[in-house]
Amino acid sequence: AALADGLGHDRAAEELLHRVLELAPDDDDVARVLGEIYRRRRDGQRDLEMLELQLAGARRSLAGPAREAELLCELAQVLLRGGDAAGAVTRLQEARARAPEAPRARRALAEAAAAAGDFDLVAQALAGLAGDESVLAAERADFLLELASVLADRLADRVGARDALRRAAGLYPP
């Protein structure tokens, strides 16, 4: 199956991998490769199904919160591409609950919340990213600038926007 996939024979690989999946439904690698095939085909529904299988397997195997958060972020991206911003936000909030320090989940949450029109959540996510000392100062400044824009333009919070701009300016060297 891997050889067929590597040679670009998606249909043959898909058939073989589905047979393997019938015999070993918990095989994370098979679900991952099938998901990659579906992603290449832009078959979002089947890609989601394979990611859900991987997530269920990760939870059963106790792979850990970081792996679960990674899979939840992937699920959210597929949902966003399919136009389900609210579903993406839900999955990313779950990822944040499982692995609060996962920067990918925090950034993706801000983007999904913006797509869903939830600018309060966007502001919360950006504020969290801006306050993360493990992030480079220049990146934190960028998050603060984005936060200032959201506060001023979407939430009509001019005072908060000015504060975010001052904090961003303080992160740049004199």
Side-chain angles (χ1 to χ4, degrees):
L3 178 60
D5 181 44
L7 294 174
H9 301 291
D10 284 357
R11 297 276 182 223
E14 180 183 7
E15 288 176 24
L16 291 169
L17 290 167
H18 272 290
R19 286 188 208 155
V20 172
L21 203 54
E22 287 173 13
L23 297 171
D26 291 337
D27 193 320
D28 187 50
D29 290 330
V30 172
R32 183 185 48 76
V33 173
L34 276 168
E36 289 170 7
I37 290 170
Y38 297 138
R39 209 164 295 125
R40 282 195 300 263
R41 285 191 200 154
R42 292 178 172 46
D43 186 342
Q45 186 56 44
R46 289 176 127 180
D47 189 10
L48 281 174
E49 290 170 10
M50 292 304 110
L51 285 167
E52 291 284 0
L53 271 176
Q54 290 177 69
L55 181 59
R59 287 179 172 156
R60 278 192 304 276
S61 71
L62 304 175
R67 176 68 178 142
E68 287 180 41
E70 180 183 316
L71 288 166
L72 287 161
C73 286
E74 288 182 42
L75 274 163
Q77 290 304 312
V78 174
L79 289 167
L80 265 180
R81 281 193 300 271
D84 184 1
V89 166
T90 300
R91 289 307 193 152
L92 290 164
Q93 287 174 321
E94 188 179 347
R96 293 273 298 124
R98 293 294 298 139
E101 299 306 315
R104 178 181 176 200
R106 280 195 269 174
R107 181 67 187 149
L109 179 58
E111 292 169 5
D118 186 345
F119 293 101
D120 286 318
L121 185 56
V122 172
Q124 289 173 6
L126 289 171
L129 285 162
D132 185 347
E133 295 293 323
S134 70
V135 176
L136 295 173
E139 289 181 71
R140 290 196 332 261
D142 287 343
F143 294 135
L144 285 165
L145 293 174
E146 283 184 61
L147 175 61
S149 176
V150 168
L151 290 171
D153 299 341
R154 299 296 183 156
L155 300 175
D157 180 356
R158 304 280 189 251
V159 173
R162 274 193 300 274
D163 179 57
L165 288 171
R166 276 192 212 101
R167 290 175 41 214
L171 291 172
Y172 289 106

